[in-house]
Amino acid sequence: MTTSICVITPSYNQGEFIERTIQSVLQQQIPNLDYIVVDGASTDSTLEVLKKYEGKIRWISEKDKGQTDAVNKGIASTKGKIIGWLNSDDIYYSDTLQTVLDFFKTHPEIDVVYANANHIDKNDNVIEAYPTEPWDIERLKEVCYLCQPAVFFRRSVIDRFEQLDTNLNYCMDYEYWLRLALNGATFAKIDKILAGSRLYDETKTLGARIKVHQEINAVLQKKLHNIPNRWLSNYAHVVVEDKTSLKRGSKTFILAVISVTLFAALRWNKSINPELWQMLRGWLSQVFTKS
């Protein structure tokens, strides 16, 4: 029997969290759920946890090429018509999978569905709501407002647009949402909180913010041929925050951000558009009006 929905958990040395991830999936109580953990040969307590759930989940543990490769491997080894991807430190909330199945059943025209989510800490406490927004492809070019663990898509999407890009280490999800949207996939939002995305200092994205933004800019340059001003500004803020000890909001901080933004625009876009000039002039005016 073809399973109705499958969930893939890529994993590597997440023994501290992975049991909570697994339990959040199994507690969904979905008939014919195909759940697989694709582990990259962890050296911590991960394998001990996985063995505890032998017979309840499928899992493999072998060296891979990273998170993206693990997700692709998991997708290829499952057959569910609906696909979910839950990292080994994130969680689903109750009734998440049933909510998603019900939505896809009543909306056959939709390829991808996403929902609200929370940022959670190491103890599952809510830090803040993830800044999810209504669907707008133009807005997606400026900010990634889809929270990856709260996104689900039909397997037909893989057939039409292929798998994740294994050349990417940080923004493989954002690149995929953009790829789908720019090529005609249909998206819809469920106005319900379905997942918790864990946020802590050791996470890959927080631990390498400059590399994350460099990769995002490279993706946007390739797809849009022009990086939106917002992403240039975001990159500049991250560089100044990570590379200097300047006080955020100070005159020197603003001047540094302006300089890096100009450099980024010339590096990736080869020019500075009028809207960016206007934005930077506004920042510069703040410098001269500060007491």
Side-chain angles (χ1 to χ4, degrees):
M1 178 185 294
T2 301
T3 55
S4 56
I5 190 167
C6 59
V7 175
I8 295 95
T9 290
S11 168
Y12 183 69
N13 285 348
Q14 290 284 4
E16 180 179 1
F17 304 113
I18 192 168
E19 186 159 23
R20 279 176 272 175
T21 299
I22 292 171
Q23 289 177 348
S24 79
V25 176
L26 296 181
Q27 289 172 0
Q28 301 294 311
Q29 297 184 342
I30 296 295
N32 302 316
L33 170 66
D34 187 5
Y35 179 38
I36 183 169
V37 177
V38 183
D39 181 68
S42 289
T43 56
D44 65 353
S45 61
T46 296
L47 295 187
E48 296 175 20
V49 174
L50 294 178
K51 290 174 182 177
K52 286 175 57 178
Y53 292 89
E54 198 80 61
K56 295 182 179 179
I57 67 172
R58 292 194 296 128
W59 62 273
I60 57 174
S61 183
E62 59 189 23
K63 289 187 177 182
D64 53 38
K65 298 177 183 178
Q67 180 184 7
T68 311
D69 182 42
V71 174
N72 285 345
K73 191 185 299 185
I75 290 174
S77 69
T78 55
K79 296 182 179 180
K81 293 183 178 180
I82 307 301
I83 299 171
W85 154 23
L86 185 68
N87 289 328
S88 52
D89 54 356
D90 296 335
I91 59 172
Y92 288 146
Y93 292 134
S94 61
D95 297 325
T96 289
L97 298 187
Q98 190 61 57
T99 298
V100 169
L101 282 170
D102 290 344
F103 187 92
F104 274 118
K105 183 177 181 179
T106 56
H107 296 81
E109 77 284 3
I110 297 300
D111 297 311
V112 185
V113 66
Y114 67 102
N116 298 327
N118 290 326
H119 274 140
I120 59 175
D121 65 15
K122 287 188 172 183
N123 298 311
D124 300 346
N125 298 311
V126 175
I127 300 173
E128 62 187 358
Y130 189 94
T132 311
E133 300 180 16
W135 175 249
D136 184 329
I137 187 173
E138 294 304 316
R139 178 64 172 165
L140 185 65
K141 297 174 184 178
E142 297 183 345
V143 59
C144 183
Y145 54 81
L146 277 67
C147 185
Q148 178 271 309
V151 180
F152 299 81
F153 47 91
R154 297 185 189 275
R155 184 165 297 274
S156 57
V157 165
I158 300 293
D159 299 332
R160 292 161 60 194
F161 307 110
E162 301 183 338
Q163 295 185 319
L164 303 178
D165 186 346
T166 55
N167 293 313
L168 301 176
N169 296 312
Y170 304 103
C171 68
M172 70 291 288
D173 51 343
Y174 183 40
E175 185 278 335
Y176 201 56
W177 316 146
L178 282 171
R179 191 198 315 171
L180 301 187
L182 292 171
N183 287 282
T186 53
F187 285 69
K189 179 177 182 291
I190 296 176
D191 192 21
K192 184 177 180 180
I193 301 173
L194 296 186
S197 177
R198 208 172 297 278
L199 197 64
Y200 54 100
D201 290 341
E202 295 87 352
T203 54
K204 186 166 64 172
T205 50
L206 286 184
R209 297 198 305 163
I210 294 177
K211 290 182 179 179
V212 170
H213 281 270
Q214 288 174 334
E215 186 171 274
I216 289 173
N217 286 348
V219 164
L220 291 169
Q221 183 185 52
K222 181 177 180 180
K223 293 193 173 301
L224 307 179
H225 310 295
N226 185 73
I227 299 168
N229 294 335
R230 183 185 181 98
W231 281 115
L232 295 173
S233 169
N234 289 346
Y235 168 77
H237 277 83
V238 166
V239 169
V240 175
E241 288 174 356
D242 285 13
K243 294 292 187 179
T244 76
S245 58
L246 298 174
K247 182 180 179 182
R248 187 179 179 89
S250 66
K251 291 181 180 181
T252 50
F253 181 91
I254 296 173
L255 288 171
V257 169
I258 290 173
S259 298
V260 177
T261 302
L262 288 170
F263 169 79
L266 293 173
R267 174 184 175 183
W268 279 293
N269 290 346
K270 310 302 181 185
S271 65
I272 302 169
N273 61 54
E275 293 78 12
L276 184 57
W277 275 122
Q278 183 177 358
M279 182 177 74
L280 297 181
R281 282 198 298 267
W283 292 353
L284 201 57
S285 69
Q286 295 179 34
V287 172
F288 292 109
T289 57
K290 282 181 176 289
S291 57

